[in-house]
Amino acid sequence: MSRTRHIRGSRLATAGIAATTATLLVAALSPAAHADGRPGRTTAIANAASALVEHAAALGLTSAEDTTVRDVIVDKDGTQHVRYDRTYRQLPVLGGDLVVHLAPNGTYRSTSRATKARIALSTIAPKLSAPKAADLAVNALRAVNLGEQLRKVTAKPQLVVDALHGAPRLAWRTNAVAQDSLGNPVARTVLTDARTGAQIDAWDSIETATGDGKSLYSGTVPLETTLSGSTYQLKDPTRGNTYTGDAANKTDLCFLGSICISRAPATLFTDADNHWGTGTASDRSSAAVDAQYGTNETWDYYKNVHGRNGIAGDGKGSYNRVHYGNNYNNAFWDDSCFCMTYGDGDGTTFGPLVALDVAGHEMSHGVTSKTAALTYSGESGGLNEATSDIFGTLVEWYAGSSTDPGDYLIGEKIVRSGFGKPALRYMDKPSKDGNSADCWISSVGNLDVHYSSGVANHFAYLLAEGSGAKTLNGVSYNSPTCNGSTVTGIGRDKLGKIWYRALTVYMTSSTNYAGARTATLNAAKDLYGAGSNEYNAVAAAWSAVNVG
């Protein structure tokens, strides 16, 4: 997973933290306050830098560490939240992220940290060589793709400090990337102890989930397009110039998530009369209609419901590639291109993977990467996937499509008879897919992240709709609880607001299920008050899935 360019925050000095030149340049270009009198981004960053100076010792920050601002949120009442990434002796720190919380007047309140471990390495010289770390990562990639003849295999290690897995230690983070026999990408990130060569962790690098236009799944939909000469382009100038292109059934070959030897194209779709697609797969632009529509609805959901202007919050649009690979049974968000990519499916197990909830799911991975950056393994990986399932579902409900109405099923439009089930996942009772967990147990983090996500998906359904049987939009649900309790829901809107605030303000890269309970309770307290009906409902829903 690539890192985007961040505003330079502060450098830890022996006596504290001094603002860097880069921060001062940003200060000169950014407003100090909003029009409504709230502190601006620059003021929040300056206040947080001062707080880090004052509380450096308590936070375990030393002169060997640098911080970089990843995100800034200023609440309506002026409360400020500044999120940082951290380096140690110029090496990225996995689990080094933290959020500084400040009162409206800029005074320090608290800090949310991915880890409280202090970093004090005797050396940053690895005993394990980079080529050896690359070999180990390639072996790990081959091990999870048994039976595949992988080709174009590449791996390039990056030296990091791992503070996510116990005592901080030097490690190699290596992205191993290859193509399978159909030319589709496979990738695995492997974390290796740089002293002993032992594998610390490993996870999939590609986060998966699986005018007017006639779409495959959502009927005829409105599209904002761009007129260029006498030709219309499937590019939306009202949503950051988001656009959709044809990948021509080609694939990418990348390593480290951002360095690509070659990329599948994204040839912009054009049309003569601004009426796109036929609603059938034989017309290549029909899938493009679905992809563009999914982008539009996801953009509008985040902007109109949460005030987020674009996936990265900067008003800039992403782009879509459809018809990726040959019979490719997946869809994925890629930070390195800031793009969404859809396969056509094999026709037996899956159809084209351009359904609305899939678009909302995958693009929400982009939101997560720009905010909490939940690590894609263990319980945090399950929360990463659940975040995308939750917001993908809420996007579907938000869109209000009569041909793809809102539900609590994931991917119900894309599955075909060969899949054997009516949907990929089920939020009311996740175990209906045969793999996902309904309830938290201590080993849940050992599951694939798409299955450990079931605990949070179950929580989200219970919080929105409550336990027991009900029918919504013609779909029957019957959600049990793990502790035998009865849960009363508070509605989808409040679920979305609580989860979004928890994600963007309180969660960090290492947040686990216990941490998610704390984060969502903090969010509910901020939004509705401690002891409110909503606060109590959050607590009850987590208890109903055995968290807390």
Side-chain angles (χ1 to χ4, degrees), residues 117-136:
R118 294 175 181 265
I119 304 173
L121 303 185
S122 60
T123 179
I124 58 170
K127 289 185 177 181
L128 184 75
S129 68
K132 181 61 177 175
D135 289 342
L136 293 171

Side-chain angles (χ1 to χ4, degrees), residues 236-301:
D236 188 341
T238 69
R239 297 179 177 90
N241 284 318
T242 56
Y243 72 89
T244 300
D246 194 333
N249 300 108
K250 297 181 180 179
T251 59
D252 300 333
L253 179 56
C254 305
F255 59 92
L256 281 181
S258 60
I259 303 173
C260 294
I261 297 172
S262 64
R263 275 201 182 277
T267 305
L268 183 62
F269 278 90
T270 60
D271 189 80
D273 62 4
N274 213 20
H275 299 291
W276 305 78
T278 61
T280 64
S282 60
D283 185 332
R284 294 181 75 86
S285 63
S286 297
V289 171
D290 284 273
Q292 189 73 15
Y293 172 66
T295 301
N296 294 351
E297 292 300 320
T298 304
W299 178 289
D300 289 353
Y301 169 77

Side-chain angles (χ1 to χ4, degrees), residues 14 42 73 88 177 195 199 285 368 410 413 448 460 507 520 531:
T14 302
T42 303
I73 290 178
Y88 176 81
V177 178
R195 183 178 60 87
Q199 180 174 302
S285 63
T368 297
I410 308 300
K413 287 289 187 179
D448 179 279
M507 291 186 187
T520 49

Side-chain angles (χ1 to χ4, degrees), residues 312-494:
D314 58 3
K316 297 178 181 178
S318 56
Y319 68 93
N320 304 306
R321 297 182 298 181
V322 295
H323 307 303
Y324 180 88
N326 295 302
N327 299 325
Y328 186 53
N329 277 333
N330 231 318
F332 61 90
W333 169 269
D334 186 344
D335 276 330
S336 67
C337 62
F338 201 65
C339 68
M340 179 67 211
T341 301
Y342 301 89
D344 288 324
D346 59 14
T348 301
T349 310
F350 294 99
L353 284 93
V354 289
L356 180 57
D357 59 350
V358 176
H361 172 108
E362 298 299 345
M363 292 177 68
S364 293
H365 278 307
V367 175
T368 297
S369 74
K370 298 295 183 183
T371 55
L374 289 158
T375 300
Y376 205 60
S377 66
E379 291 190 17
S380 59
L383 286 164
N384 189 317
E385 273 298 315
T387 294
S388 285
D389 280 351
I390 291 166
F391 286 128
T393 295
L394 293 176
V395 166
E396 188 179 69
W397 282 96
Y398 173 84
S401 170
S402 60
T403 56
D404 187 8
D407 54 51
Y408 291 96
L409 311 176
I410 308 300
E412 75 283 356
K413 287 289 187 179
I414 64 172
V415 297
R416 298 294 183 263
S417 59
F419 185 69
K421 296 183 178 72
L424 285 174
R425 290 186 289 282
Y426 310 81
M427 297 183 73
D428 65 321
K429 188 178 181 182
S431 61
K432 287 193 291 187
D433 66 12
N435 295 293
S436 292
D438 291 336
C439 311
W440 184 88
I441 57 175
S442 60
S443 61
V444 76
N446 296 330
L447 295 175
D448 179 279
V449 294
H450 296 88
Y451 305 142
S452 61
S453 63
V455 178
N457 282 345
H458 191 191
F459 158 82
Y461 178 88
L462 289 170
L463 184 61
E465 302 294 346
S467 57
K470 69 167 50 178
T471 299
L472 300 166
N473 281 346
V475 179
S476 297
Y477 304 96
N478 194 354
S479 190
T481 59
C482 306
N483 62 355
S485 65
T486 298
V487 175
T488 301
I490 60 174
R492 291 180 297 275
D493 290 347
K494 290 179 179 179

Side-chain angles (χ1 to χ4, degrees), residues 36-73:
D36 59 8
R38 290 181 295 140
R41 178 186 179 90
T42 303
T43 299
I45 291 172
N47 290 339
S50 296
L52 288 181
V53 171
E54 183 177 353
H55 299 278
L59 295 173
L61 304 176
T62 70
S63 60
E65 295 167 71
D66 286 349
T67 56
T68 304
V69 175
R70 186 198 302 172
D71 194 22
V72 178
I73 290 178

